[in-house]
Amino acid sequence: MPFTYPADSPSSTPTRSLLPLSPPSPPFLSPSSSKKKLHRESWNASDSPYSVNGSPMSALDEKFSLAPDPRQWGSDLSPDLVEPDDDIHNPDHCLDGIKDTHDLSFSRRGVANLGLGYPVISYFRKAASLHSGYNLGGANATGQIPSMGNFGLIDEETPVDARYRVSSRDGSRMLLVFSDEFNTDGRSFYPGDDPYWEAADLHYWIDGLNGLFQATNNLEWYDPSAVTTENGALVITFSQMRTHDLQYQGGLISTWNKFCFTGGYIEVSAQLPGVNNVVGMWPAVWTMGNLGRAGYGATLEGMWPYTYDACDVGTAPNQTLNGEPYAATIDGDPSYHNALSVLPGQRLSRCTCPDDTSHPGPKHSDGTFVGRAAPEIDVFEAQVTGDPLRGQVSQSAQFAPFNRAWIWQNTSDNMIIPNTEISRLNTFIGSATQQATSVVTDTSQRCYEGNDACFSVYGFEYITWVSESVVSWTLNSPGVGPDPSVAISARPIPQEPMYLIINLGMSKNFGYIDFEHLTFPNHLRVDYIRVYQPQHSINIGCDPSNFPTQDYINANLEAYTNPNLTSWRVDYGRPFPKNSFIEGC
């Protein structure tokens, strides 16, 4: 989101800005800031749940009927054990004429078995200690094995009639591949307590060196104690309380490096916080590529919000080289002397020199690397705006590099809005840190906790959004095609493995806050979250072979586990790979 969002224009709804900014090339100047960077007071590398030294087993056996280690109830986890039904869930076995590959494209029968949890653990635990094997069976990267209870990729309490759905794009049949109904009350999301979700313990930082490392400037500390389950729903509580030198506490949970999906449809049933005519809360359900971890700024520098696989000026800092193209130096962000972009350049681009050993790969047939990044697609970010004030949701995808003046090809062929009475193009289209393809839709005025406390259904299918259980708008890929005026190529619809994020926060970056009328505590509630994919192209997992992430995360573990590192090059101290377009190889 921009750093100078006009409070008198609440209908212009920016989305989050997540990453360190590149110093603009002269004559552009960065805004200065004197605010203090906040640190997690208790941070220690050994606190990380992903420490290579391991950590204690979860105590979930107090809540569920099974001990945390299946060996205690008679299961042999030896990878060499041969069982009579191995042919069902051996990922190398070919069943029904469908080749099961390690990117988790399962046979129909294999998918049906995923809800059982443990039959697939032995295969994934053959991997290195930090392999993201949480995707199946619930064994996390340190070897912890949480009590399964009702845990599994598909929640056993998901209604039978919700196990399949019809695609809103082409009418094809889609299969449920992940669900959480949140029906067990009192769940904990502290690190290690849940096989798929983890609550953040951090602040979305304010600034860093010379004011360059900006994020969302949230007013709250995200604390795991703010997230639990109650009355059959996930509950994130936002409270007015002094904590970590801040005045508010909120919550954020994600499935980073535990559950990811590529393509398909995500659906969430949510009740929004507060009431429908008081401005200020920022509830959101969104997704991000697994190579970026939300709240860990070092992992996001040069990664968010890129989605790019070309070697040209779109990979360069500020989206220019030697002051060209001129169109990228005008009609931009007034906070940065009208520069189009202050992004630091794409860290893992197609321009990476072929002999580089840090790029996670893979490579194209011509020997160039696939451009990698951490793109973002939002299910919704909710807001209260308009005259009279009313509840709305902003449904967006963020892109980099940017079109000239952030004007994407939003023609009637590329931006399809079925009901223009309630949905319209978001007047916020970009800033020096992001380009947003976004539509704002009036949502149910009843489904706020202070109104009728009902739940509304939201979702997106690559890349059609749903609000109130009906299609709200569709973005077709030519909308983010090439833009010769700024010499950039097409931005592909994200193909990275994406993880889930749910949070409730508050920030002046998102718009005006009516402190006088807001009431605390307030709550974001989620009845369920479900992910579907076309039944013949299942693609789940955080480390697919065509977009691997795990080795890169392992090689840069400190950046992915220390939230105080807000930049890759300064705080973490690692360079970007050499870019052949900028400096040659």
Side-chain angles (χ1 to χ4, degrees):
M1 70 175 54
F3 309 114
T4 57
Y5 174 72
D8 61 347
S9 303
S11 62
S12 299
T13 306
T15 46
R16 60 184 58 77
S17 180
L18 296 170
L19 72 166
L21 307 184
S22 170
S25 302
F28 308 128
L29 301 175
S30 299
S32 63
S33 174
S34 59
K35 294 184 180 179
K36 177 183 177 183
K37 183 167 79 173
L38 299 178
H39 291 267
R40 175 179 170 184
E41 297 171 349
S42 61
W43 175 258
N44 185 291
S46 63
D47 294 337
S48 168
Y50 308 105
S51 168
V52 294
N53 296 321
S55 53
M57 280 191 176
S58 165
L60 286 184
D61 56 314
E62 298 175 0
K63 306 173 188 175
F64 298 100
S65 59
L66 299 178
D69 189 339
R71 288 167 290 194
Q72 297 179 23
W73 35 275
S75 291
D76 188 335
L77 295 185
S78 167
D80 300 319
L81 177 67
V82 177
E83 298 177 289
D85 62 348
D86 275 351
D87 283 349
I88 296 174
H89 40 256
N90 181 352
D92 292 320
H93 183 76
C94 185
L95 182 65
D96 295 336
I98 300 176
K99 176 62 178 177
D100 247 346
T101 63
H102 293 183
D103 68 357
L104 306 186
S105 298
F106 288 95
S107 68
R108 292 186 295 274
R109 188 174 179 189
V111 170
N113 278 279
L114 293 180
L116 301 178
Y118 274 112
V120 290
I121 283 182
S122 62
Y123 171 76
F124 282 92
R125 296 198 66 208
K126 294 177 187 177
S129 64
L130 288 172
H131 185 82
S132 57
Y134 327 8
N135 304 311
L136 297 171
N140 74 12
T142 64
Q144 294 171 292
I145 306 171
S147 300
M148 293 304 293
N150 184 25
F151 289 133
L153 275 180
I154 298 173
D155 192 324
E156 66 184 25
E157 296 190 23
T158 301
V160 174
D161 61 3
R163 300 297 175 98
Y164 299 91
R165 65 169 280 114
V166 174
S167 167
S168 59
R169 291 184 66 89
D170 61 16
S172 62
R173 194 181 200 215
M174 305 186 80
L175 175 73
L176 182 70
V177 296
F178 176 87
S179 63
D180 199 330
E181 304 297 318
F182 302 113
N183 284 346
T184 300
D185 287 355
R187 282 169 61 181
S188 166
F189 299 97
Y190 280 84
D193 279 359
D194 193 276
Y196 303 115
W197 299 97
E198 180 175 315
D201 186 6
L202 52 81
H203 175 248
Y204 260 86
W205 64 100
I206 295 178
D207 68 20
L209 182 66
N210 298 322
L212 296 178
F213 309 143
Q214 301 277 351
T216 52
N217 296 346
N218 282 40
L219 301 181
E220 78 287 342
W221 183 271
Y222 283 133
D223 196 282
S225 65
V227 188
T228 188
T229 49
E230 181 181 88
N231 297 324
L234 175 75
V235 181
I236 300 180
T237 301
F238 192 96
S239 306
Q240 186 172 23
M241 58 182 292
R242 185 167 180 80
T243 177
H244 298 84
D245 295 325
L246 296 167
Q247 304 302 315
Y248 299 94
Q249 176 178 283
L252 178 152
I253 63 170
S254 83
T255 65
W256 175 77
N257 211 32
K258 299 185 180 186
F259 170 75
C260 304
F261 68 104
T262 305
Y265 172 72
I266 173 176
E267 179 175 281
V268 59
S269 175
Q271 179 187 110
L272 300 176
V275 293
N276 62 18
N277 61 355
V278 177
V279 179
M281 299 312 302
W282 188 7
V285 179
W286 46 298
T287 65
M288 181 185 286
N290 197 55
L291 285 176
R293 188 178 185 188
Y296 292 73
T299 72
L300 300 169
E301 183 183 4
M303 301 292 281
W304 179 92
Y306 284 95
T307 173
Y308 206 51
D309 187 29
C311 183
D312 56 30
V313 74
T315 68
N318 316 124
Q319 215 170 302
T320 60
L321 183 64
N322 300 322
E324 296 293 337
Y326 177 69
T329 68
I330 59 173
D331 303 327
D333 193 329
S335 299
Y336 294 90
H337 294 265
N338 296 313
L340 177 66
S341 171
V342 292
L343 292 182
Q346 186 180 7
R347 186 201 310 166
L348 301 174
S349 74
R350 189 164 185 169
C351 299
T352 301
C353 293
D355 61 351
D356 181 85
T357 59
S358 64
H359 194 293
K363 287 186 174 181
H364 292 284
S365 59
D366 64 1
T368 59
F369 281 104
V370 173
R372 303 295 304 278
E376 175 185 346
I377 305 177
D378 302 329
V379 177
F380 72 80
E381 294 176 285
Q383 63 185 48
V384 174
T385 189
D387 185 15
L389 289 170
R390 61 191 182 278
Q392 297 179 324
V393 288
S394 164
Q395 297 182 298
S396 315
Q398 279 64 252
F399 290 93
F402 311 150
N403 291 87
R404 180 175 181 174
W406 314 291
I407 299 174
W408 55 284
Q409 299 299 313
N410 54 3
T411 65
S412 58
D413 290 333
N414 298 328
M415 182 182 71
I416 302 172
I417 300 178
N419 185 351
T420 56
E421 294 295 317
I422 62 171
S423 299
R424 64 205 65 87
L425 179 67
N426 195 334
T427 55
F428 174 80
I429 56 175
S431 71
T433 63
Q434 64 176 295
Q435 177 170 336
T437 57
S438 179
V439 164
V440 173
T441 297
D442 295 346
T443 190
S444 171
Q445 305 306 297
R446 299 174 47 243
C447 294
Y448 286 76
E449 65 171 330
N451 296 106
D452 291 350
C454 54
F455 288 78
S456 294
V457 173
Y458 307 96
F460 72 77
E461 179 182 348
Y462 276 59
I463 198 166
T464 290
W465 281 267
V466 168
S467 176
E468 292 295 306
S469 300
V470 298
V471 170
S472 51
W473 82 285
T474 293
L475 167 65
N476 286 325
S477 57
V480 284
D483 188 341
S485 69
V486 286
I488 64 168
S489 304
R491 280 73 32 97
I493 301 301
Q495 302 172 65
E496 295 281 347
M498 308 288 278
Y499 64 98
L500 312 173
I501 308 165
I502 305 173
N503 69 285
L504 177 58
M506 185 166 65
S507 171
K508 292 180 180 178
N509 283 26
F510 192 60
Y512 170 73
I513 300 174
D514 186 354
F515 288 105
E516 180 181 357
H517 296 104
L518 282 174
T519 58
F520 305 101
N522 57 57
H523 310 85
L524 170 65
R525 292 180 171 88
V526 175
D527 182 32
Y528 65 78
I529 189 164
R530 300 168 186 162
V531 178
Y532 298 81
Q533 291 185 324
Q535 61 180 355
H536 297 303
S537 54
I538 305 300
N539 189 350
I540 53 177
C542 295
D543 189 34
S545 60
N546 58 338
F547 281 88
T549 69
Q550 197 58 49
D551 288 347
Y552 188 80
I553 291 170
N554 287 349
N556 299 284
L557 195 61
E558 185 182 6
Y560 283 94
T561 55
N562 186 344
N564 291 327
L565 303 180
T566 61
S567 70
W568 184 266
R569 293 169 295 180
V570 176
D571 286 353
Y572 184 44
R574 298 284 180 89
F576 283 12
K578 288 183 67 176
N579 183 311
S580 62
F581 179 81
I582 299 172
E583 55 188 327
C585 292

